[in-house]
Amino acid sequence: MVSGPGTLGWTHAVTDLVADPVAAALAGWPHAGAVSAAAIDPDLADTAAFCEQYGVELADSANCVVIAGRRGDAVSYAACVVLATTRADVNGVVRRRLEARKASFAPMEDAVALSGMEYGGITPIGLPAGWPVLVDAAVLRRGEVVIGSGLRRSKIALPSALLAELPAAEVIDGLAG
């Protein structure tokens, strides 16, 4: 066991606790050793319930949401990483970044099918190549953050600064409010 936020039993043996695309991405990521994982009750995967049950501060929990941007018949996707205490500016910052006429949360079926992850557990690690990973600058001001693992039955924790080191990561001031 390693130390981490809240009352969870964190471990660096993350492979069995993350979705397959996440495990594959971690296998080739030079910062993977700084990532820890913990099993949770999947019924408590939603952020507020998770934080309350496991003693993790909401401000130390980040959410990753998949956004679909549309311009005509073309659809592009992005992931937004924001603190659990905030919301991504989908119709402003994200829409402009995607150069879309309309942006909205991707339908659950699309987010799950395209990411290979479970809804409610999507993480920015292991997303499809070509998707920008938009990280709100406020997330990087936290020491360590807890985020989804790609599965509802676990969470991962990592130094927040490492989110800026993910492939396709873009740190954006004011992404969330």
Side-chain angles (χ1 to χ4, degrees), residues 161-176:
L162 293 184
L163 292 169
E165 301 299 321
L166 289 170
E170 300 174 28
V171 177
I172 299 177
D173 280 314
L175 176 63

Side-chain angles (χ1 to χ4, degrees), residues 14-33:
V14 300
T15 307
D16 294 335
L17 293 171
V18 298
D20 291 342
V22 180
L26 287 171
W29 196 41
H31 306 294

